[in-house]
Amino acid sequence: MINVWLFMGPPGCGKGTQANLVKSKFKDTVHLSTGDLLRAEIKSNSDFGLRVKSYVEQGKLVPDDLILDIFSRAVSSYNNISSVILDGFPRTLPQAKSLAAQCLDSSLNLSGALWFNISSDVIVKRASTRRVCINCGEIYNIITKRPSVDGVCDKCSGSVVHRKDDMESIILDRLTTYAHDTEPLRNFYSSANQLFDIDAEKDSVFVHDQILTILKKM
Ligand code: AP5
């Protein structure tokens, strides 16, 4: 059985930061970010990347059929893993239902949805000051976590840049989309007794401790 841990919440709430920290603590655990998969496709100029580019850059949700396609391809490529952290998937009711169906038909076991709660003001500040490595995806912040050399990734020396969808006007659109399409999934997981709330406004260490406490009980 592969345990599936969902990291859910609004854009910029810290899902990616925490997924990277958590995967290093649990053996044979992988971090699957649909946002990272889409950005890799766009960077490689693949046909798929060209189809999703405008959605991602404008902060709009990529259509469900394309997301389910890239998700299924990624999951089926894993061998010998014990857990997978899903970061940014599911984001709509059809995606959540499809994941539930895949869990019934395969060795995936949905352990729970960890919901990162945070105010919109804090999100706008964090996302507008975020920088990411275009090569390895390492996440930085110009206030709280600068790379040692400005614009250069500490891990792989790749370029550290401001994501196009982190412009303030696009962040506000992403928050509206989140409220309309993704927040209703709280009820979906709550009614299945699979919802675990995280206070994501606290510092990274505190957030991490809350997550570890929940995951160790699952
Ligand atoms: P995606 O990349 O998934 O974007 P997101 O969910 O909007 O999340 P982010 O990557 O913006 O933020 P995060 O929560 O990982 O925060 P982070 O750790 O970086 O998706 C991008 C796009 O792809 C979507 O808009 C859509 O177009 C498409 N897409 C993806 N999945 C899809 C799906 N399932 N369906 C349809 N379309 C899809 O942290 C943010 C900043 O805060 C960083 O600078 C970090 O250093 C800092 N920070 C983190 N934690 C803390 C803390 N505790 N205290 C202080 N600062 C912190």
Side-chain angles (χ1 to χ4, degrees):
M1 267 302 182
I2 300 171
N3 294 312
V4 178
W5 299 328
L6 308 184
F7 282 16
M8 305 190 65
C13 63
K15 303 181 295 294
T17 300
Q18 293 297 331
N20 279 326
L21 291 172
V22 166
K23 81 169 175 198
S24 61
K25 295 252 167 81
F26 291 86
K27 202 167 169 272
D28 303 326
T29 293
V30 295
H31 169 200
L32 194 169
S33 155
T34 40
D36 287 347
L37 293 176
L38 294 166
R39 283 183 288 276
E41 292 279 355
I42 293 168
K43 190 172 163 222
S44 72
N45 276 323
S46 66
D47 287 346
F48 190 93
L50 293 174
R51 290 175 75 188
V52 298
K53 188 174 193 292
S54 64
Y55 294 103
V56 174
E57 291 183 350
Q58 291 169 32
K60 297 185 188 323
L61 290 185
V62 170
D64 288 331
D65 57 335
L66 296 177
I67 287 294
L68 292 169
D69 173 28
I70 199 170
F71 171 75
S72 301
R73 280 191 278 134
V75 164
S76 61
S77 71
Y78 295 134
N79 291 312
N80 301 322
I81 62 166
S82 58
S83 311
V84 56
I85 303 167
L86 298 187
D87 162 8
F89 178 90
R91 257 171 156 110
T92 63
L93 195 55
Q95 291 178 22
K97 287 183 174 169
S98 171
L99 176 62
Q102 288 192 50
C103 287
L104 283 178
D105 287 349
S106 67
S107 58
L108 300 176
N109 171 48
L110 181 51
S111 304
L114 281 67
W115 209 282
F116 288 51
N117 297 293
I118 185 168
S119 68
S120 299
D121 288 352
V122 178
I123 282 178
V124 171
K125 270 188 211 134
R126 281 191 193 172
S128 58
T129 53
R130 168 174 46 195
R131 300 293 182 269
V132 291
C133 173
I134 51 169
N135 185 43
C136 72
E138 183 68 5
I139 302 165
Y140 295 94
N141 188 285
I142 54 172
I143 297 172
T144 56
K145 192 186 167 212
R146 299 185 78 99
S148 309
V149 177
D150 276 350
V152 181
C153 180
D154 291 342
K155 283 199 167 167
C156 73
S157 302
S159 297
V160 173
V161 301
H162 196 187
R163 269 169 47 178
K164 284 190 181 160
D165 59 343
D166 275 347
M167 279 166 48
E168 190 166 332
S169 61
I170 296 184
I171 295 168
L172 294 174
D173 287 347
R174 288 163 67 199
L175 282 170
T176 306
T177 302
Y178 164 78
H180 184 265
D181 292 286
T182 309
E183 207 166 22
L185 297 185
R186 275 186 66 86
N187 282 341
F188 183 84
Y189 290 111
S190 169
S191 55
N193 289 323
Q194 288 176 315
L195 183 74
F196 299 88
D197 279 304
I198 301 286
D199 178 353
E201 280 201 16
K202 297 283 193 299
D203 67 55
S204 225
V205 174
F206 188 90
V207 175
H208 188 56
D209 287 344
Q210 293 176 75
I211 294 171
L212 291 185
T213 304
I214 292 168
L215 294 183
K216 282 175 184 165
K217 282 188 201 155
M218 281 178 174

